[in-house]
Structures are given as C-alpha cells and as structure tokens.
Amino acid sequence: MKKLATLFLVLTLASLANVFGGTPVTLKSPDGKLELKFEVVDGVPQYALDREGKPVVLPSKMGFTLEWRDDLAHAFVLKDTKYDSFDETWEPVWGEEAQIRNHYNEMLVTLEQPIGSVESMDHSTEKKATVMQIRFRLYDDGLGFRYEFPMENALVYFWIKEELTEFAMTGDHKAWWIPGDYDTQEYNFTESRLSQIRELWDAGHKDGGWPWTGFSPTGVQTALQMKTDDGLYLNIHEAATLDYPTMHLDLNDKNMVFRAWLSPDATGYKGRLQAPCTSPWRTVMVCTSATDALASRLILNLNEPCALEDVSWIHPVKYMGVWWEMISGKSTWAYTNDFPSVKLGETDYAHATPNGTHGANNANVRRYIDFAAANGFDALLIEGWNIGWEDWYAKQKDFVFDFLTPYPDFDLPALNKYAHEKGIRLIMHHESSASTLNYERWLEKAYTLMNQYGYDAVKGGYVGTIIPFGEGHYSQPINNHYHYCITEAAKHHIMVNSHEAVRPTGLCRTWPNMIGNESAMGTEFRERINPGHTTILPFTRLQGGPMDYTPGIFETDMGKIVPWGQKMKTTICNQLGLYVTFYSPLQMAADFPEHYAQHMDAFQFIKDVAVDWDKSLYLEAEPGAYIVTARHPKLSTLNKAAEGVGTLADGKKGVVSNATKFVYDLPDDATIEDLWHATPHDVWYVGGITDENARDVEVKLDFLKPGVKYEATIYADAKDANGIPDEHYNAQAYTITKKTVTNKSKLKLHMTPCGGFAVSLRAL
Ligand code: NOJ
Ligand code: CA
C-alpha cells in the first residue's frame, strides 16, 4: 500500500513537472533503442534524441516567429501529452519492395501560450489561448515530428517569418552536402566535416546548375546525409511537404546547430497558414550502417496512404528518348534559326526555314520508335516537339510555350499511331521554362490533348527564373503549383516526371502517379558530374522518392559526338550498375540507338532488367564510395506497361516487354499468348558502382533459393577499363561471362575507377 502511494505521488509529481516544465516527457522507439525527450524550458519547447543512452540530437529549440503577433517561441506551457503506437504493413503501387512496415510509437504534446501571456494585433490572444501541438513519431530508424495547429485557437490565419526548429548535432560530423539554394538542387556533393562547410561553400555553389540563389555561407539542402565518428548514419530531411515551403538548413558552425531555413515567397514570408493545419514532418534518420540507411522507409511511412482509388492505370516504365541528342549538342530542340524572337500565335512556323538539326522530326522519331520496340521498351520520350524552343531559355518569357502546337515536321497523330502499333507509348514533354503561370494557363488543354492521343506520362521541366517573378523554385506557392499539376494529372490518368521541381518528400506514396523527378544533378551534367556522385544520391535525394537520373550512356566520350564534348567519369558497366543501385519505376536508356547498336551484348542487361521490385537487398554501401544492391522483380507489374499499350484502340495486341521475356525465358518474338502459357523463373539482378577508387567486392548469393541452379550473366569492367578521363581513359572495356551458380556461390567482382558491374541471375 505504501509502495502504491509512493508510486502515485511520483506519477503526480511527474505530471505536474510536465505541466510546469522541468522534467522531460519521453518516447521510445519500438525496439527501445531510440529515446526522444521533450520539455518546455522557460517557456521554450525543445526536444532531444538519444540512441542507447548516448545523445544523437542535443536539446534543440522549436517554434516560429510570426507576423502581426508575438512569436511562437516563448511563454509556452505543456498542457497535455498523449501516447499511441502503430504497426501496419502497406503495399506501395510501385517501389523497392512489395510490402513496407510502418511501425512507430507516437507522442502528441499540446502546448499553450495562455490567454494574455502573448500579444497579437487582432487581440485574439486576450480572449483565447494559442495552441500548438507537436506530434512525434519514433521509429527504430529515426524520428519524425511536425507542428499541428487545431482550429480552436487564438491563431487561425498566420504568416511565418521564420521556423525556429533546430537540429543540434553532437559533434563535427562528416557530411555529404549541397549548398542551400532557393532555385536549384543541381549540384555536385561536397564531402566534408560540418566545420568545413563555410570554407567550401563558394566552390560548391559555383559547381551547380542555374539560376543560383544562395542564402547563407553555411546553408545546405536536405536530405543531408551525415556520419558521426561513432559510425552512426544520420540524415535530416522532411516528409509530406504540402502547402508549405521547402526546408533548408543553416548551420551555426560554432556549436554545430542546424536551424530550419524555409524558402521564402516573393514577399519574403515563409508560409501563410490557416488552422487547422500541420507543418511537414521534420525527420532525423538514425542508422548504424549505410545499408540500413538505404533500406529506411522513414520518409514514405510519414506520408499519407494512397489518395487515389483507382491506380490500375499507373505502371512502371522503361523508356528511351529523343533527348540525349539535344543534351549532347548533336541536335536542337528548336526547329528553325529564323527567329530571334518567337511570339506564340504570331510567329509563322509554316514558312520558316528548317535548321536541319531539329531532333524531334518524323523520320528520327520513327527510328527511335523502331529501336525501342525492337528491344522491348515501354515508351519513348520526345523533347522539342512543340513550338517555342527558339527563345525558351533564360529569357524570362511568360508566354513561352502552348504545349499543344507541334512543329511542322512533327506529325503528332501519325507518330502516336505508329508508336502504338509497335507497342510503344510516347511520353509527352512539357518544359514550362519555369513559367508556372503560363503552364497553369494551358494545363487542362495540354492534358486533354494527351488523353486524346493516348499519352499516359508527361515529363515536366522548370528551367530558369520562376514566373511569377520573385518566387523561388521551392516556396509555398510554387510547391503548391507542382502539387496542383500532380493532382490534375491524376484526374486525367497521367503519370508525372518533373525535372527541376522541388526535391521530393515521399508524396509519391499518396499520389503514386508521381513516378519520377530529377531534382538533383542528373546525367545531363555529363562530364561535370564528380566520381562518387551516384553513390551519394541514394542516401540523399532518393530518400524522398525516385529519381529520373537518365542512365545508360554507352558513348561516354562526348567528344565523339561534338567537337566541344568531353569525357564523362564513368564506364559502361558503371552505367549498367545504376539500373539496380538507383530505384526508379521510370527508368531511361538515355543514349542513342546507334551507340547501343555498337554494344548490343552489354545493352542486353538494360533490356533484361526490371524496374519495379518485390524485394531489395542493400549488400554493401558507403556514401561517396560505393553501393552494391540486389533486387527481385515484382511479377504483377512486369508487363503492365506493355499490356496498357495493347489496350489502345490502334495498339498492337499482345505486347511483351523485354524484362518479361527475360523473367519468363521467352524468345524475342514472343506474344502475349506465349506469356499466358509460360511460368516465371526466379530472377535477381545485382548492381554495383564505385567512385574514383577501384574496388573488389565479393557478392554472396545466399539470397537465392536453396537447391536451385541459376545462370549468372556478369557484366564487368575489363581489366584495362578506366572511367577517369586521363590518358588511360577506357570506359567501354567490359567483359560478359556466364556462370552456373547456387545460393552457396560467391561472385568476385572488380570495379575499375568510376566503374561498376551488373549481374542478372535466372533460375535454370
Ligand atoms: C532540363 C531537364 O533536366 C532536361 O532533361 C531537359 O531536356 C531540359 N531541361 C529541357 O527541357
Ligand atoms: Ca535538370
């Protein structure tokens, strides 16, 4: 009895302490290893995170500064703490595995600035308390928390000046970072200690895309990957960023405290909110190995379940494109050189002189359709099909494209018919030139045109200065624009792949028609991409969603295409490895058909590889160094794109994709009837990539089915291969060997500098 009374007293004191500040309220992860502590210290909310008793995030302040009223940064009392836990397994429409476990413990704290404790211009704080809740979710692999503002509140409409959320690091960690920027994410990563960011920031900032809008010499973007001296892999990012600006981080390099730095809108505000509402989740991933960091689904789990009832029209896509021709400089997007200035509706394209370099011409597009169809692809992207490319770039032009009118040498109906008859869908291209205003003007008509001709995927683009002027690429209004395009596209059953749009935060879970983004430095940067770049992206950019990295370059010496071209830091086998180490349900084979034709044996891997998986294993990895990944294809979506084309009115029936042929061991000329009568073989793909260092890896095949023999086809850098552009550059040297293996076998693989490997495994 005495014991019980003591316990009661302790509990009462504990809860009183919670109300008045002092003793933190705590939450543990399901495995008990992570512990979150929250407390209000002198009216200021703050949190801290430990792992197995050791600090990971030191006490970090939370709150906001606001316009027209006292800040949400002091005078708080803790009114209530509620706990919950959740354990559910969900199935993504596409992804790295068929099932994802969402398992967390939750704590919701309700904070109040009591009536009269703060002031506001509308006097609301004299009549009501200001309520701010913080919802914490603690997973075995990290923390998510967000601010919530219920309607019953002195605070209903409010304008954010700054979000004050801190992430106080425990030391001078190693980090892989890109400079904070309101307009571009297209940067090489810098690997350094946190304390070196300031001295390296300028060099990093010059090494990026355009336009550049930096804000602080210690500003960096998320997802920020770090490694502590104790070997913990920490990652700060955000999840479910909707109706809110994107979060950057600004480092105080005296005490290693990051503070949230939101992207302002044109008037300088960093979010206009209306209760009831929530902020995006702020995330801190904590893993004990790099491979666990790759396997983390923290960001997806913090997003809402699928919002679409019918997802039958969404499918993975392996595609080629009339694209690299323009990126490499061989062709142009523009049709004519006649016009220094184009005015849509006035410029007379019908009588313009063709420049002879326009890539998206009927004959060339047919050539690509033929090649893509002959090699079992699903789709073909064509850029430069529509009028306006003569003065699209860097002119800050509002009425830049109409997304409807083809150039005179691009016969849209005929090319679609031709493609569909061969089992290929065309992917529409909508470069907005960052005029979001203009794009929204045409959006409905443009999507309707796509529906009319059976396009079911669009590649968008936001190159240049955002219009409306003054907005950046990641402000609240522009984030809302990207989201509007996704939700409108869903109404039209259109899948979206946006380049230069905001870096993703897992929204593809909720809107799985968002099948890709670039939103980082991709292959278009050619020789400017640093060695190791692709070993960092899966830890950073890809945490939020798939990347349209556009791999598959076989002619890596661009000087063979145009006189000014330079050598890319890669090898053919490095390019092959990317199809497994990078996850995307939309995967491109980016090079020219004629370049693949010279290496059809190596091209076979790109033909055979699947793009959607029921299982992924991250075998070995270190950011900035190397990644080795194994994946098992998801049979239910393997032929989905091909069957989709078969259902088009003018489509050839019975199309079988090449990955399907590989899994079912069907001949090149197989039809859908052959597929009905075939049984799948157990198939795995393994890919590896390395930075400028050569590396030997041993891949244990213990994930294969016991007692089953598999044929392994191994695509490896040749002994004399070299992806470093020096006098020994030899990027196209590879070997292809076949071996019979079992789950007891180990494959010894050598990766040359900037090299890699790919292996396909099919049960015999
Ligand atoms: C930049 C995109 O990333 C690239 O893929 C595209 O070709 C150009 N913009 C033109 O839209
Ligand atoms: Ca780009």
Side-chain angles (χ1 to χ4, degrees):
M1 188 64 197
K2 199 174 161 201
K3 262 191 188 163
L4 260 185
T6 315
L7 183 66
F8 180 71
L9 186 70
V10 168
L11 285 176
T12 313
L13 285 178
S15 57
L16 278 178
N18 290 344
V19 172
F20 297 111
T23 305
V25 288
T26 62
L27 177 71
K28 288 208 168 192
S29 57
D31 67 2
K33 290 186 178 162
L34 290 181
E35 186 176 37
L36 171 91
K37 293 176 188 160
F38 173 82
E39 62 187 318
V40 178
V41 180
D42 296 333
V44 182
Q46 61 181 46
Y47 76 100
L49 184 66
D50 288 359
R51 186 174 194 283
E52 295 189 315
K54 276 188 165 178
V56 175
V57 180
L58 294 170
S60 299
K61 295 190 181 113
M62 314 174 93
F64 297 86
T65 59
L66 301 181
E67 191 59 277
W68 313 127
R69 54 153 290 149
D70 276 349
D71 298 333
L72 291 175
H74 56 86
F76 276 111
V77 291
L78 175 59
K79 292 295 279 190
D80 186 36
T81 307
K82 281 199 172 61
Y83 290 91
D84 203 354
S85 57
F86 189 77
D87 190 1
E88 176 199 75
T89 297
W90 58 280
E91 295 184 354
V93 175
W94 42 258
E96 296 185 66
E97 60 254 304
Q99 297 197 318
I100 296 179
R101 188 171 177 196
N102 186 10
H103 187 196
Y104 60 81
N105 290 332
E106 181 175 282
M107 180 170 84
L108 177 69
V109 295
T110 300
L111 306 172
E112 266 189 26
Q113 289 174 324
I115 295 173
S117 66
V118 288
E119 292 183 357
S120 67
M121 284 208 26
D122 64 358
H123 303 288
S124 59
T125 52
E126 292 159 20
K127 290 169 239 141
K128 279 189 176 177
T130 302
V131 185
M132 179 172 85
Q133 296 176 305
I134 307 173
R135 191 179 296 274
F136 295 95
R137 287 188 181 163
L138 201 51
Y139 292 77
D140 290 347
D141 57 355
L143 167 69
F145 62 88
R146 71 177 184 195
Y147 301 93
E148 301 189 356
F149 300 94
M151 182 133 63
E152 196 42 51
N153 209 330
L155 189 70
V156 182
Y157 296 90
F158 55 108
W159 300 358
I160 297 175
K161 289 206 282 195
E162 294 292 346
E163 182 179 322
L164 303 175
T165 309
E166 291 179 345
F167 304 86
M169 299 293 98
T170 57
D172 188 12
H173 305 326
K174 191 196 261 190
W176 292 266
W177 54 274
I178 58 174
D181 193 306
Y182 295 151
D183 277 302
T184 182
Q185 301 142 147
E186 297 184 340
Y187 283 110
N188 271 306
F189 288 86
T190 303
E191 178 181 320
S192 79
R193 293 274 172 181
L194 295 177
S195 59
Q196 295 172 299
I197 290 178
R198 185 182 294 276
E199 70 194 70
L200 297 171
W201 195 92
D202 264 341
H205 200 232
K206 288 197 185 96
D207 193 16
W210 170 85
W212 310 272
T213 323
F215 54 82
S216 157
T218 52
V220 295
Q221 303 197 26
T222 74
L224 174 69
Q225 181 64 48
M226 287 171 284
K227 188 179 179 183
T228 69
D229 288 342
D230 295 341
L232 280 187
Y233 292 81
L234 308 182
N235 185 301
I236 303 179
H237 192 27
E238 59 180 322
T241 305
L242 277 179
D243 199 14
Y244 202 87
T246 293
M247 179 179 74
H248 301 266
L249 299 170
D250 192 30
L251 177 71
N252 177 338
D253 49 5
K254 291 199 177 71
N255 58 7
M256 302 303 155
V257 175
F258 285 107
R259 213 195 73 192
W261 188 286
L262 302 182
S263 310
D265 66 22
T267 63
Y269 286 108
K270 296 186 168 181
R272 289 163 208 255
L273 270 58
Q274 176 186 348
C277 59
T278 67
S279 74
W281 295 95
R282 277 66 189 90
T283 60
V284 183
M285 191 194 293
V286 186
C287 296
T288 51
S289 70
T291 49
D292 281 357
L294 294 177
S296 172
R297 301 294 172 247
L298 182 69
I299 304 295
L300 285 180
N301 275 332
L302 285 166
N303 274 270
E304 294 298 315
C306 183
L308 305 173
E309 274 188 17
D310 174 16
V311 291
S312 60
W313 49 277
I314 298 174
H315 55 81
V317 183
K318 192 155 62 175
Y319 74 105
M320 294 187 67
V322 180
W323 176 72
W324 191 239
E325 295 201 3
M326 286 79 96
I327 298 292
S328 64
K330 180 189 171 201
S331 310
T332 56
W333 285 274
Y335 167 75
T336 174
N337 300 336
D338 283 358
F339 310 127
S341 156
V342 168
K343 297 226 164 156
L344 295 185
E346 293 175 27
T347 300
D348 180 11
Y349 279 102
H351 297 98
T353 327
N355 59 15
T357 56
H358 180 224
N361 67 71
N362 290 322
N364 201 32
V365 172
R366 280 173 200 258
R367 181 172 76 91
Y368 274 80
I369 293 172
D370 291 346
F371 188 84
N375 291 288
F377 282 80
D378 304 315
L380 179 74
L381 164 76
I382 301 139
E383 295 198 4
W385 67 276
N386 57 324
I387 58 170
W389 287 89
E390 287 70 22
D391 64 352
W392 77 284
Y393 183 70
K395 304 293 189 299
Q396 307 201 350
K397 202 179 152 188
D398 185 351
F399 297 86
V400 53
F401 291 114
D402 69 8
F403 312 98
L404 298 175
T405 314
Y407 278 128
D409 60 348
F410 184 86
D411 187 340
L412 190 147
L415 288 171
N416 265 281
K417 187 161 190 306
Y418 185 74
H420 294 168
E421 281 166 3
K422 295 203 157 200
I424 293 290
R425 277 200 200 244
L426 300 188
I427 299 180
M428 182 51 90
H429 185 226
H430 290 166
E431 171 58 63
S432 69
S433 193
S435 178
T436 62
L437 272 185
N438 186 53
Y439 191 31
E440 286 190 29
R441 256 176 223 134
W442 295 100
L443 197 65
E444 177 60 26
K445 283 194 189 114
Y447 285 165
T448 304
L449 179 81
M450 289 178 60
N451 287 156
Q452 193 184 337
Y453 288 101
Y455 287 83
D456 69 351
V458 62
K459 171 179 170 182
Y462 294 90
V463 172
T465 306
I466 291 279
I467 304 178
F469 296 112
E471 291 295 340
H473 274 68
Y474 322 121
S475 66
Q476 181 186 25
I478 304 305
N479 283 349
N480 287 348
H481 163 83
Y482 304 131
H483 190 58
Y484 176 71
C485 296
I486 302 289
T487 51
E488 289 303 298
K491 292 180 194 159
H492 286 266
H493 287 192
I494 288 170
M495 302 181 286
V496 181
N497 162 31
S498 263
H499 283 217
E500 298 85 34
V502 66
R503 51 189 171 278
T505 56
L507 291 169
C508 58
R509 175 179 178 189
T510 316
W511 285 277
N513 64 315
M514 202 174 160
I515 52 168
N517 276 115
E518 183 186 44
S519 307
M521 182 182 273
T523 304
E524 64 174 344
F525 278 79
R526 310 178 302 269
E527 72 282 351
R528 288 179 59 191
I529 300 170
N530 285 344
H533 182 65
T534 49
T535 69
I536 303 170
L537 286 168
F539 290 94
T540 52
R541 161 64 186 78
L542 275 87
Q543 287 291 345
M547 177 168 177
D548 186 29
Y549 184 74
T550 61
I553 303 306
F554 276 21
E555 183 45 82
T556 59
D557 180 356
M558 311 295 289
K560 301 252 173 74
I561 304 170
V562 289
W564 61 88
Q566 293 177 44
K567 298 182 177 81
M568 290 172 65
K569 296 155 196 143
T570 184
T571 66
I572 284 184
C573 285
N574 175 268
Q575 293 290 310
L576 295 183
L578 293 173
Y579 289 88
V580 192
T581 54
F582 264 56
Y583 175 66
S584 178
L586 175 84
Q587 200 64 280
M588 187 178 203
D591 210 336
F592 307 165
E594 58 270 37
H595 289 164
Y596 291 133
Q598 291 164 25
H599 302 279
M600 285 308 279
D601 52 356
F603 187 55
Q604 190 65 38
F605 182 78
I606 300 181
K607 290 171 65 173
D608 291 346
V609 74
V611 296
D612 191 30
W613 312 103
D614 64 16
K615 212 171 186 184
S616 295
L617 303 174
Y618 309 93
L619 303 178
E620 285 190 59
E622 182 63 14
Y626 69 112
I627 298 181
V628 180
T629 305
R631 302 200 198 254
H632 189 263
K634 198 201 268 178
L635 292 186
S636 56
T637 57
L638 198 58
N639 209 49
K640 215 171 156 194
E643 283 158 13
V645 180
T647 62
L648 291 173
D650 54 355
K652 178 180 147 190
K653 300 278 178 283
V655 178
V656 181
S657 78
N658 207 77
T660 311
K661 287 178 198 157
F662 181 73
V663 170
Y664 286 79
D665 198 7
L666 293 170
D668 277 351
D669 58 355
T671 65
I672 199 89
E673 282 82 12
D674 299 321
L675 181 59
W676 292 335
H677 303 295
T679 35
H681 292 233
D682 192 42
V683 159
W684 283 86
Y685 306 88
V686 187
I689 53 171
T690 183
D691 63 357
E692 69 276 21
N693 298 303
R695 232 171 273 272
D696 291 296
V697 292
E698 190 178 74
V699 177
K700 280 194 208 139
L701 299 178
D702 52 4
F703 49 83
L704 300 179
K705 279 191 186 150
V708 178
K709 285 189 178 152
Y710 291 75
E711 180 180 64
T713 308
I714 303 160
Y715 305 77
D717 290 323
K719 276 207 181 72
D720 57 345
N722 174 26
I724 297 195
D726 56 19
E727 66 276 22
H728 305 296
Y729 191 65
N730 192 14
Q732 294 178 316
Y734 55 84
T735 60
I736 301 176
T737 45
K738 286 193 192 278
K739 264 189 189 168
T740 302
V741 296
T742 68
N743 74 327
K744 302 226 161 40
S745 310
K746 291 172 186 164
L747 294 180
K748 288 198 165 151
L749 294 149
H750 176 73
M751 297 190 271
T752 207
C754 299
F757 66 84
V759 183
S760 59
L761 295 141
R762 182 169 61 193
L764 290 166

